[in-house]
Structures are given as structure tokens and as C-alpha cells.
Amino acid sequence: MSSNQHPMLNVAVKAARAAGAIINRAALDVESVRISQKQVNDFVTEVDHASERAIIDTLLTAYPDHGIWAEESGREHGKASSDHVWLIDPLDGTTNFIHGFPVYCISIALLVKGRVEQAVIFDPTRNDLFTATRGRGAYVNDRRIRVSKRTQLKESLVSTGFPFRPGDNFNIYLRMMADVMKRTAGLRRPGAAALDLAYVAAGFTEGFFETGLSPWDVAAGSLLVTEAGGLVGNFTGEADFLEQRECVAGNPKIYGQLVKILGKYSKFASAGEKADLRQNTPTLVEPGMAPGTHVDEGPAQDA
């Protein structure tokens, strides 16, 4: 940890590394990890819980009067009335983790009076530590990072997340994905939104968009992006996105181009835009079909 870092960021780094050690030990024998299901395709493991406990213990030992808002335990720890609230995702990318697919991370952000002031995203498989303090820039492993300089969407790599919950509108998403995909150099779905945002900040990708995200998924990554010179908002370009369950991020040029494409898919789109989407979106997936549902396509045919 750098002596130049903000003291609260240093504590968050300590918490993230403690959680990372737990996750890395468990990853050595991932098949023995106990798994439960919160809802269809939404998993939680004993590793999520152990990681979250380690983070909360570290933060509250240093700052017992701070509040906690964590993915698994909610707001049951810390001081609920505090102006300082830590947002914690102890293992973003749990589905990747339980399959041994090495794309997941720990995300910790500090909100002060509702504004993100400190951010840590730690990738334990690569030992990559992304950090940011408001007004002091964004870093990976103590190296300053900036968003990509690419200005055209057709030259850009964009990441996203696919819908996976019952009730998600797959047909609308497929249309949105097609709208973006045909204009880019490539669309990627790594499976950990916090890491996707860190990669935008580092210039590895030019943009990111996703719906259905919770504040702990995007809080830390949003500060990394803005401190690296990028922009973050909802699909209509409004900056107040944290609890709106839609997020788009990118370098300034690509962000603007994505907002132009995604605006009509926003929950804040006009009634006319929403009606047009409903009327002109083909039904490729039957409404109500849960993700992962097996469809019997009959006997295979020889090519």
C-alpha cells in the first residue's frame, strides 16, 4: 500500500486483499465450495459470505462508526445513520468463479453523503489492484491509468452483460445488443460488471453498458472511470445512475455515441420510444421463458 494513498483507501485495499486471499484459496478446489441459489441463475457461495465478512471486519475495525451496504448482508452491519457508507460486492462474477472461469473480482466503494469518494476493485486471479480517490486519479498497481483515446465506435471494443433472470426482456435486449454490436469492432461479455468498468478506466475497452445492476456492482467502477477521464451515466446520459439499474460508461467520445444508441432502451425513454420498441421488436425468445430453460429441438440432423 502506498503511503501517498488516502487512509480510507488504504484500509479498503487491506480489506480487498484479505478477501482475495480467501477467494484464491477456495479457487484451488472450487468443486468443494458449497453453493446456494438466490434465484434462477443467481448464485451465492460460502466464499461470497467469507469474503464479505473479512471485508466488513477490516472496515469496521478501522471505522466502527461507518455504515455498510453489502450485497449478501445488506445494511445489517455498521452504523445505519452514518454519512460514510461502504458499498461492498465481495465476489462479483460468482457464476464465473464456481465454474473455474477466472474472471471475477472484489469491489469496495466508500460513499460520503451519497457520493463515491474512494474505490477499490481487486482481481485476485491476476493480482490487479485498481484504485481511485476522488480528485486524485485512477490507478492499477500504482500506475496511473486513462481511458482509451479511440473516438469511433466502429474501432471500439465494448463490454456488456447478458440478461439472466426470469422476467428479463430477452427480445428487447437482443435488439439492443444488435444495435451496438453492428457498430463496434467487437462486443464482449466477461461476466463481472465491476471489472468491466475497471477495464474501461484502464483503456482496455472503450465502453460498457448493462441493465439490472445494483449499486455495489457499479459504485467503485464508476469512480475509476471518471477519475481516468471517462463518463458514466444511465442510458439517457444522466449522471445520477447509481440506483437506476442501467449503466453506460466509456471514454467521452464513445460514451456519447453509446448514449445515442441506448437512449430508447432506457426506463426513462419517452412513451413513444417505448411503444415503438414493443411494436417493432421481433419475438426471438418466448416471453416468460427462464434463462437456461431447455428447449427440445428434436433429433439432430446431419449437416
Side-chain angles (χ1 to χ4, degrees), residues 189-243:
R189 202 286 193 192
L195 206 52
D196 290 339
L197 286 164
Y199 281 12
V200 171
F204 302 159
T205 60
E206 279 66 50
F208 163 77
F209 69 97
E210 189 170 348
T211 63
L213 296 172
S214 298
W216 49 79
D217 294 314
V218 295
S222 69
L223 184 63
L224 282 167
V225 170
T226 55
E227 285 297 316
L231 297 171
V232 186
N234 66 15
F235 284 3
T236 62
E238 299 296 324
D240 184 19
F241 72 96
L242 196 60
E243 297 187 52

Side-chain angles (χ1 to χ4, degrees), residues 2 4 20 103 290:
S2 170
N4 294 324
V103 181

